[in-house]
Amino acid sequence: MTLPLPAAVLLAALLAGCAAPGVGIAPGSPVGEVTQRMGAPTGEYALPGGGRRLEYASGPFGRRTQMFDFDAAGQLVRAEQVLTEANFNAIRAGMNSGEVLTRIGKPAKVWAIPRQRQTVWSYRYESPFCQWFMVGLDPQGVVMDTSYGPDPLCDDDDFFDRFRMRLR
């Protein structure tokens, strides 16, 4: 089966939009090349040894955050999609918020649980179960706990409204 040219072009454009950002940027590339191709990063974090990590999040409804790690000379060491269960499972109680941001980037949603004096950062990610990862932080920005829960985008029922009502 062959597609008409307009349909083929549309399909190619749609598939390109789904491609992982940063693919095709070779290790050793200078930071300027990455920012020229990717645009302004959504976050920047210091790494040990004078390196830095650039974050490219796909937005609050996105399920991918690409991190680019550079050495002290500004050369790309590696690129990684960080919103994965393996990275989430490395987040432990006692870590500070800066460590969480450096590992997995900015959250999709931030919400409070006043009674517990906790702020929750929620991360959408690619999962067959339509769930998201949550990090509970105390008022000092220290991780208290982590968990997985249903992503409210996948349900007509607003989980957060019901949850907040129970905590008041």
Side-chain angles (χ1 to χ4, degrees), residues 113-131:
I113 304 175
R115 186 185 302 176
Q116 294 179 355
R117 297 176 12 101
Q118 190 176 46
T119 299
V120 177
W121 289 359
S122 300
Y123 293 84
R124 291 190 167 89
Y125 69 105
E126 294 174 350
S127 167
F129 306 109
C130 200
Q131 62 187 11

Side-chain angles (χ1 to χ4, degrees), residues 6-27:
V9 170
L10 178 62
L11 180 62
L14 289 172
L15 290 174
C18 295
V23 173
I25 300 176

Side-chain angles (χ1 to χ4, degrees), residues 78-142:
R78 71 182 190 139
E80 173 187 17
Q81 199 295 103
V82 295
L83 300 183
T84 66
E85 289 184 3
N87 285 330
F88 297 152
N89 294 338
I91 305 296
R92 299 277 183 234
M95 293 175 77
N96 66 51
S97 58
E99 291 173 289
V100 174
L101 290 171
T102 300
R103 285 183 185 237
I104 59 176
K106 293 183 174 87
K109 183 174 177 84
V110 176
W111 48 286
I113 304 175
R115 186 185 302 176
Q116 294 179 355
R117 297 176 12 101
Q118 190 176 46
T119 299
V120 177
W121 289 359
S122 300
Y123 293 84
R124 291 190 167 89
Y125 69 105
E126 294 174 350
S127 167
F129 306 109
C130 200
Q131 62 187 11
W132 62 2
F133 176 69
M134 296 174 280
V135 178
L137 301 161
D138 71 13
Q140 290 73 42
V142 175

Side-chain angles (χ1 to χ4, degrees), residues 49-68:
R52 66 182 179 164
R53 173 173 259 203
L54 299 183
E55 168 191 312
Y56 288 89
S58 57
F61 300 108
R63 300 183 189 290
R64 299 182 65 81
T65 294
Q66 192 79 14
M67 295 285 199
F68 292 86

